[in-house]
Amino acid sequence: MVTETTTPDVSAVRTVTTAGVVKDTRGYAIFRVVNAVVLTLIAAITLYPFVNLVAKSFSSEGYIAAGKVNLVPRGFNLTTFNAVVSDPMFWTNYKNTVVYTVVGTVIAMALTTTYAYALSRTNLKGRGFFTGIALFTMFFGGGLIPNYILVANVLHMRNTMWAIVLPGAISVFNLLVMKSFFENFPAELEEAAALDGMTTYGVFLKIVLPLSKAVLATMTLFYAVSMWNSWFGAFLYLDKKDLFPVTVYLRNLIAATTGSQEITGSQDNAVQIGANVQSVTMLLTVLPIVCLYPFVQKYFVSGVMLGSVKG
């Protein structure tokens, strides 16, 4: 039986000159120019709000009120930055955010990877039941009041770090992505390791995880960003200011922009802080994640695609 093999036709995008030089066709060259222009415009539109946010953070109140601040700061001013960073409570809450993010991400990754790996094993007894439990929590929840009673009164985690890092430790979406990735993992490697005497835990820790860096980096980024930006759980379960994450500190600062003599020190400073406090606080909150992203960006696309559901 003879099967025909087809080769891709590149004549639509490439031509060979008499000198043997490969050149783009006119249509493909136009496509590349249009594609570059469109992507540049999309990038500019995406970056504009962030650049405008940075410009407002360093601008004076008069220019902001007049709507004259676009991409470049006008009336360079650091009053709001000085008022925020000179407050010792800001640094205490910032440290809390780092601790909550690190601890919460480690716990979430430990639970998600082990749960996903177990669900990916076809020989697991009750596999459908445990998968159903995860899916059920994705669509149904107890509601705000039952959750508060459970965390604060039953588990007695109020005013502790665990009220922040434990209730949302497993994201079902991340769990399903990682489960799908593990299901497509080469079974021959695990079988070979088992023949060499490795236990299930050894296979998981020494074979599976080291070969899953892309999806692990992606899930770590998802969890870290979620933990870093989270504020409602802390707002709900924490009463002590020295336990607040920085997001709650900044939320309270925005809520009291104009009346806070304790932070501003004068009415003029209060007006300036009220004008750009939102821009400054958003910049201070997003900056660490922006700095972290380039280090995991190379894993991001490949991690999501490798763990995607294949139809």
Side-chain angles (χ1 to χ4, degrees), residues 164-298:
I164 310 302
V165 301
L166 289 182
I170 295 181
S171 165
V172 179
F173 172 79
N174 295 348
L175 175 71
L176 296 178
V177 170
M178 195 170 291
K179 168 181 172 291
S180 179
F181 174 81
F182 289 148
E183 285 176 341
N184 291 280
F185 197 84
E188 292 78 8
L189 289 176
E190 300 180 56
E191 293 172 359
L195 289 174
D196 287 339
M198 270 194 182
T199 63
T200 301
Y201 296 104
V203 172
F204 176 65
L205 295 174
K206 297 181 181 180
I207 303 295
V208 176
L209 292 185
L211 296 175
S212 306
K213 291 180 181 178
V215 72
L216 292 178
T218 303
M219 295 301 107
T220 298
L221 178 65
F222 285 172
Y223 277 122
V225 171
S226 177
M227 288 287 182
W228 184 271
N229 292 331
S230 176
W231 70 274
F232 186 70
F235 182 74
L236 194 63
Y237 300 120
L238 302 180
D239 295 330
K240 300 177 181 178
K241 290 184 177 181
D242 57 344
L243 294 177
F244 285 167
V246 72
T247 48
V248 175
Y249 172 89
L250 300 178
R251 179 262 174 200
N252 293 340
L253 185 62
I254 292 175
T257 46
T258 56
S260 183
Q261 292 293 326
E262 297 178 3
I263 296 179
T264 61
S266 69
Q267 186 60 34
D268 291 340
N269 285 352
V271 174
Q272 173 60 44
I273 291 176
N276 67 348
V277 64
Q278 188 171 0
S279 302
V280 170
T281 53
M282 290 174 65
L283 180 62
L284 290 173
T285 302
V286 76
L287 194 58
I289 297 298
V290 171
C291 295
L292 173 66
Y293 182 77
F295 295 100
V296 296
Q297 187 269 340
K298 62 180 179 180

Side-chain angles (χ1 to χ4, degrees), residues 6-253:
T6 59
T7 57
D9 181 13
V10 297
S11 60
V13 297
R14 294 284 192 271
T15 58
V16 181
T17 64
T18 55
V21 180
V22 178
K23 293 181 61 177
D24 295 339
T25 63
R26 182 180 180 86
Y28 185 61
I30 295 174
F31 166 77
R32 292 184 62 182
V33 172
V34 173
N35 192 43
V37 171
V38 171
L39 291 178
T40 302
L41 289 175
I42 293 175
I45 293 172
T46 304
L47 287 174
Y48 174 79
F50 184 75
V51 177
N52 179 254
L53 181 76
V54 175
K56 286 184 177 180
S57 300
F58 294 100
S59 299
S60 64
E61 176 269 336
Y63 287 105
I64 296 174
K68 296 181 178 179
V69 181
N70 286 316
L71 300 178
V72 179
R74 304 288 298 276
F76 189 80
N77 194 295
L78 293 176
T79 300
T80 306
F81 274 102
N82 292 334
V84 173
V85 301
S86 62
D87 185 4
M89 188 57 66
F90 170 77
W91 295 109
T92 299
N93 295 158
Y94 219 102
K95 180 193 71 175
N96 292 340
T97 298
V98 173
V99 173
Y100 296 161
T101 300
V102 172
V103 174
T105 302
V106 170
I107 292 175
M109 288 301 296
L111 294 177
T112 304
T113 52
T114 52
Y115 196 178
Y117 182 70
L119 292 180
S120 68
R121 302 302 88 190
T122 56
N123 59 347
L124 174 68
K125 294 182 179 180
R127 181 173 180 242
F129 171 75
F130 292 113
T131 304
I133 289 178
L135 290 174
F136 183 85
T137 63
M138 192 176 186
F139 298 104
F140 302 98
L144 181 61
I145 295 176
N147 283 339
Y148 180 85
I149 294 174
L150 174 65
V151 173
N153 299 338
V154 178
L155 300 178
H156 303 288
M157 293 193 297
R158 191 164 177 242
N159 284 323
T160 67
M161 174 179 64
W162 310 116
I164 310 302
V165 301
L166 289 182
I170 295 181
S171 165
V172 179
F173 172 79
N174 295 348
L175 175 71
L176 296 178
V177 170
M178 195 170 291
K179 168 181 172 291
S180 179
F181 174 81
F182 289 148
E183 285 176 341
N184 291 280
F185 197 84
E188 292 78 8
L189 289 176
E190 300 180 56
E191 293 172 359
L195 289 174
D196 287 339
M198 270 194 182
T199 63
T200 301
Y201 296 104
V203 172
F204 176 65
L205 295 174
K206 297 181 181 180
I207 303 295
V208 176
L209 292 185
L211 296 175
S212 306
K213 291 180 181 178
V215 72
L216 292 178
T218 303
M219 295 301 107
T220 298
L221 178 65
F222 285 172
Y223 277 122
V225 171
S226 177
M227 288 287 182
W228 184 271
N229 292 331
S230 176
W231 70 274
F232 186 70
F235 182 74
L236 194 63
Y237 300 120
L238 302 180
D239 295 330
K240 300 177 181 178
K241 290 184 177 181
D242 57 344
L243 294 177
F244 285 167
V246 72
T247 48
V248 175
Y249 172 89
L250 300 178
R251 179 262 174 200
N252 293 340
L253 185 62

